[in-house]
Amino acid sequence: MFDALTHRGMVRDNNEDCWMAQTIWNDSFLLCGVIDGMGGYEGGEVAAEIARTTIIDEVVTHEAADNILMVLEAAVVKANNAIVEHKMKHADVGHMGCVATVGILDLNENQLFLAHVGDTRLYQFHQNVLQKLTFDHSIVGQKEDSGVLTEEEAMSDPERNIVTKSLGFERLAVHDADYLDLGVFPLQPGTQLLFCSDGLYDMVTSREISSVLQQETGVHEKSRQLIDLANECGGKDNVTVVLVQLFQSDSSNEGDATTVPTEGAERTSKELDTAREDAEEKHCSPKVGEEAEANVNGDEKKNDDDVLPQARKGWRHVKTGRGLLALVAIVAFALGVLVGYLLKVFVF
């Protein structure tokens, strides 16, 4: 089941967002994504639409592709170059561009193939845990992902909308190193995938997103609630969501942790080796952003199910700091007692 909604928000009078949510090749494959245009009346919505149509046209021409990740990468690169070519012919939209998060779901193999550039996002919601699978190509997003800023601080930062990567500003070749984040993600039955533009997460916290996704309602109702929340909180930007609900399987092992083969965050060496072996067997390299936390220990998960991995790291840091302060206090007290005893013996 999947659903998509977009809204111009409560401040803007045009909508530069667009989305994709459709079956491709056959009923076992879904193409989903969110594209956020940049450039306002100078053509943000034009860039987004060029990207959307180019990606769809390029993907559907490859019937049941053998290397889905390569097809997706080529489609996004072609979209980038199409925007560049349009700008060369139309000087009035010379500043337009867009950011995009696009995925192809293989429902038979329970896999997601992902291409990402910019600050649109993909979240995974599984067993009441919300994980951000993409990493923002933006100044503030990078600070948030690294723990320099909290989620609340990032939401109100004045540099929030400054992106470091986008589509439409330089011609790319397929396989240009590190420009696109690419990855293959295994999926668990019952998982919800949320593609969204920054108009959602700039207004709505991760806890509020989780509270909507954990409800026993349909994908359309959840999508509508997320849009409404963003607008109720100010609606300062266009807001778009694409929500996919994977059917629960009675034979699935719900005890298995969701693994995310992306680069850079803390996971055990055994988990990383397994992820790399799985990727090699499928002839693809896990390349998305940083290594996302897939497993948290039982105690943390029990107490912090609706908190993002970045927030859990911060909580552990606070606990460590309190323990250190307690140790310093004990040592200082012991030294004070010892000094008092020595003064009593040798002075008096």
Side-chain angles (χ1 to χ4, degrees), residues 68-309:
I68 296 175
L69 193 63
M70 184 180 296
V71 169
L72 187 58
E73 179 182 17
V76 176
V77 168
K78 188 171 182 179
N80 172 84
N81 295 341
I83 298 170
V84 172
E85 291 169 5
H86 185 88
K87 290 166 64 174
M88 292 174 64
K89 299 175 182 177
H90 302 84
D92 58 321
V93 291
H95 298 290
M96 75 177 185
C98 65
V99 294
T101 302
V102 185
I104 295 178
L105 283 72
D106 183 342
L107 301 178
N108 285 336
E109 297 296 328
N110 292 319
Q111 287 184 317
L112 168 68
F113 300 85
L114 185 70
H116 165 74
V117 60
D119 62 352
T120 45
R121 287 184 179 180
L122 171 61
Y123 291 95
Q124 172 183 259
F125 189 71
H126 180 65
Q127 294 183 344
N128 290 326
V129 176
L130 186 71
Q131 278 187 307
K132 184 162 70 73
L133 300 188
T134 53
F135 289 81
D136 298 343
H137 297 145
S138 69
I139 295 173
V140 173
Q142 289 165 3
K143 290 180 180 179
E144 182 184 354
D145 288 335
S146 64
V148 174
L149 295 177
T150 65
E151 181 182 34
E152 289 76 13
E153 290 170 339
M155 291 172 72
S156 60
D157 193 287
E159 296 184 322
R160 183 68 182 177
N161 296 321
I162 301 176
V163 296
T164 56
K165 287 185 181 181
S166 58
L167 300 179
F169 289 92
E170 60 179 301
R171 185 175 293 276
L172 299 175
V174 177
H175 311 312
D176 268 359
D178 298 328
Y179 197 83
L180 300 180
D181 286 348
L182 302 169
V184 182
F185 295 76
L187 299 173
Q188 296 291 329
T191 294
Q192 296 177 71
L193 297 174
L194 173 65
F195 297 80
C196 66
S197 61
D198 60 347
L200 178 69
Y201 65 79
D202 276 352
M203 297 286 102
V204 182
T205 67
S206 57
R207 287 182 182 274
E208 291 170 324
I209 292 173
S210 295
S211 69
V212 171
L213 297 182
Q214 68 188 7
Q215 296 177 13
E216 296 295 330
T217 57
V219 290
H220 179 73
E221 176 62 20
K222 292 176 183 178
S223 298
R224 187 192 60 77
Q225 286 189 43
L226 291 171
I227 296 285
D228 289 348
L229 270 176
N231 286 331
E232 289 168 6
C233 292
K236 296 179 181 179
D237 199 354
N238 311 143
V239 55
T240 302
V241 300
V242 173
L243 183 60
V244 181
Q245 169 76 61
L246 302 181
F247 289 107
Q248 186 69 54
S249 172
D250 293 336
S251 60
S252 66
N253 185 354
E254 285 301 310
D256 293 342
T258 306
T259 57
V260 183
T262 54
E263 295 179 0
E266 304 168 6
R267 290 173 61 190
T268 66
S269 60
K270 182 177 180 181
E271 288 174 316
L272 289 174
D273 289 341
T274 301
R276 292 190 182 102
E277 289 170 4
D278 289 343
E280 288 169 2
E281 288 175 4
K282 296 176 175 65
H283 308 290
C284 63
S285 252
K287 292 168 58 181
V288 171
E290 299 178 289
E291 192 81 36
E293 268 190 350
N295 258 329
V296 294
N297 67 47
D299 292 336
E300 288 177 340
K301 186 172 181 182
K302 180 177 180 181
N303 293 314
D304 291 87
D305 277 348
D306 57 349
V307 184
L308 287 171

